[in-house]
């Protein structure tokens, strides 16, 4: 069902960083991008095994997960429907979802909270319907994310990843533990109060010394930015030719530069940053640049 993927490791050669490599999951696909493909891979396999033909999922109006699910559904022969949080809007991300054939159902914030009820009330009689949680969070998603580690040909002292739900981080940690690597996983929650990420990770694997959470790099909260972060993105992109987005990966790269500058991370240590993709998110933040 699934073709080979393209996610090379590249070295970053700018003066901000000493010994930094990037796992380019953003290159996997422009739409089924980065960790969203990692998460969907085994979810789609499971849906397919259960003979389900209609993917039902959930997200906000600028969700990378919705675009990824819509594109993957179209590519692998599924129908797709999404419950979108909030009043009906039009934007670039939702346009892409529609082009890939996804049906959009807008629901108010209160109803959105009970996803199981939404699924049941709309699709109880549809034996083809397959429930995919917001952001794809699931055991299958964690399994897909472990492959980011098992694909690597070298080991690193530190691996960095941005976190929304922590599902991707859980997969990385699980693989680091399983392979008995000396690597420390540094997780950068992009939301305020990111300590909850630990609870999320502990649903899938044990919390160990391999995990460090850095909760101070949210820049005001989810999808919030500051002029400093925007400046960082412009400089980074201009110098490296690699796009990063204000919601996720910019906060991670900023954290790496900051921790190196403060000597919390040793200058000579070998670091791998996971580029989790999601660059379309920039379209929702045009006015910030
Ligand atoms: C969704 C997303 C994340 C967050 O992944 P979680 O598994 O929810 O922590 C990180 N980076 C990008 C680019 C994303 O689109």
């Amino acid at each position: 069902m699934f073709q080979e993927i393209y996610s090379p490791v590249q070295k970053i050669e700018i003066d901000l960083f000493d010994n930094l490599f990037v796992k380019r999951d953003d290159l996997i696909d422009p739409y089924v991008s980065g960790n969203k493909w990692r998460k969907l891979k085994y979810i789609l396999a499971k849906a397919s095994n259960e003979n389900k033909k209609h993917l039902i999922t959930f997200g906000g109006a600028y969700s990378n997960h919705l675009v990824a699910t819509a594109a993957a559904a179209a590519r692998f022969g599924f129908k797709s429907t999404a419950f979108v949080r909030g009043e009906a809007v039009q934007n670039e991300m939702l346009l892409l979802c529609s082009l890939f054939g996804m049906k959009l159902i807008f629901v108010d914030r209160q109803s959105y909270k009970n996803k199981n009820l939404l699924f049941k009330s709309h699709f109880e009689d549809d034996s083809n319907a397959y429930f995919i949680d917001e952001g794809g969070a699931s055991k299958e998603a964690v399994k897909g994310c472990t492959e980011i580690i098992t694909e690597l040909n070298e080991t690193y002292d530190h691996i960095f990843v941005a976190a929304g739900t922590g599902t991707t981080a859980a997969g990385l940690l699980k693989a680091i533990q399983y392979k008995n690597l000396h690597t420390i996983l540094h997780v950068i929650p992009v939301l305020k109060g990111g300590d909850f990420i630990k609870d999320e990770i502990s649903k899938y694997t044990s919390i160990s010394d391999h995990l460090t959470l850095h909760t101070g790099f949210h820049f005001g909260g989810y999808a919030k930015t500051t002029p400093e972060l925007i400046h960082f993105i412009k400089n980074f992109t201009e110098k490296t030719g690699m796009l990063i987005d204000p919601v996720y990966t910019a906060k991670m790269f900023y954290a790496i530069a900051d921790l190196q500058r403060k000597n919390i991370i040793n200058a000579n240590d070998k670091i791998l940053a996971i580029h989790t993709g999601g660059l379309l998110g920039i379209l929702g933040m045009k006015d910030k640049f």
Side-chain angles (χ1 to χ4, degrees):
M1 179 178 191
F2 307 120
Q3 67 280 60
E4 284 292 299
I5 62 155
Y6 181 66
S7 170
V9 172
Q10 296 172 347
K11 187 159 200 279
I12 294 277
E13 308 273 8
I14 59 172
D15 54 11
L16 264 180
F17 302 103
D18 293 315
N19 203 4
L20 177 64
F21 297 79
V22 182
K23 174 84 167 144
R24 298 291 307 272
D25 268 16
D26 58 313
L27 298 180
I28 292 175
D29 189 273
Y31 310 108
V32 196
S33 174
N35 65 338
K36 298 305 182 282
W37 166 244
R38 302 286 185 179
K39 289 174 159 195
L40 283 169
K41 180 178 172 185
Y42 290 107
I43 292 174
L44 297 196
K46 184 157 183 260
S48 185
N49 281 338
E50 293 178 13
N51 261 318
K52 306 288 190 187
K53 301 199 164 47
H54 187 180
L55 309 177
I56 317 297
T57 196
F58 306 84
Y62 276 98
S63 161
N64 290 324
H65 166 70
L66 291 192
V67 177
T69 305
R75 206 164 302 167
F76 298 112
F78 296 93
K79 268 174 62 178
S80 65
T81 297
F83 289 98
V84 186
R85 187 182 54 233
E87 70 233 44
V89 288
Q90 271 289 4
N91 67 39
E92 300 87 343
M93 305 284 271
L94 295 175
L95 169 66
L96 288 169
C97 290
S98 302
L99 284 173
F100 286 118
M102 180 176 257
K103 191 177 152 215
L104 304 174
I105 303 173
F106 292 92
V107 290
D108 64 78
R109 279 157 203 277
Q110 195 52 37
S111 325
Y112 184 85
K113 284 187 183 148
N114 197 338
K115 302 190 180 69
N116 286 313
L117 184 64
L118 282 174
F119 181 77
K120 225 176 137 210
S121 59
H122 285 74
F123 298 103
E124 190 156 41
D125 300 326
D126 182 350
S127 61
N128 275 318
Y130 188 81
F131 178 98
I132 302 177
D133 208 345
E134 184 175 38
S138 61
K139 234 174 48 238
E140 290 72 31
V142 171
K143 180 180 176 193
C145 292
T146 63
E147 295 180 354
I148 299 171
I149 300 293
T150 54
E151 269 168 35
L152 299 174
N153 294 321
E154 298 189 38
T155 52
Y156 298 85
D157 300 308
H158 309 276
I159 292 183
F160 278 79
V161 71
T165 63
T167 315
T168 307
L172 298 175
L173 184 63
K174 199 169 175 173
I176 287 169
Q177 291 164 340
Y178 180 77
K179 291 194 73 178
N180 228 336
L181 304 176
H182 76 277
T183 311
I184 305 286
L185 178 68
H186 299 264
V187 178
I188 315 297
V190 301
L191 314 83
K192 246 190 219 160
D195 278 313
F196 76 91
I197 296 280
K198 238 180 200 158
D199 304 331
E200 202 52 35
I201 293 176
S202 69
K203 290 181 189 164
Y204 303 104
T205 191
S206 57
I207 302 297
S208 64
D209 302 348
H210 285 291
L211 175 68
T212 305
L213 212 57
H214 301 276
T215 54
F217 294 102
H218 56 70
F219 291 85
Y222 183 72
K224 298 283 197 308
T225 65
T226 64
E228 194 185 358
L229 188 67
I230 297 296
H231 173 78
F232 179 84
I233 293 172
K234 288 179 171 167
N235 182 50
F236 182 95
T237 301
E238 211 176 290
K239 298 261 168 65
T240 61
M242 182 187 303
L243 266 178
I244 55 178
D245 81 290
V247 182
Y248 293 104
T249 46
K251 294 181 181 179
M252 172 193 65
F253 280 108
Y254 185 100
I256 299 171
D258 195 58
L259 295 169
Q260 279 202 328
R261 192 170 51 234
K262 293 176 177 153
N263 286 319
I264 296 169
I265 302 266
N266 244 320
N268 294 321
D269 285 0
K270 202 164 157 187
I271 303 173
L272 182 72
I274 311 298
H275 195 316
T276 40
L279 296 167
L280 294 171
I282 293 174
L283 298 175
M285 305 181 88
K286 292 193 292 277
D287 56 333
K288 299 283 197 295
F289 285 85

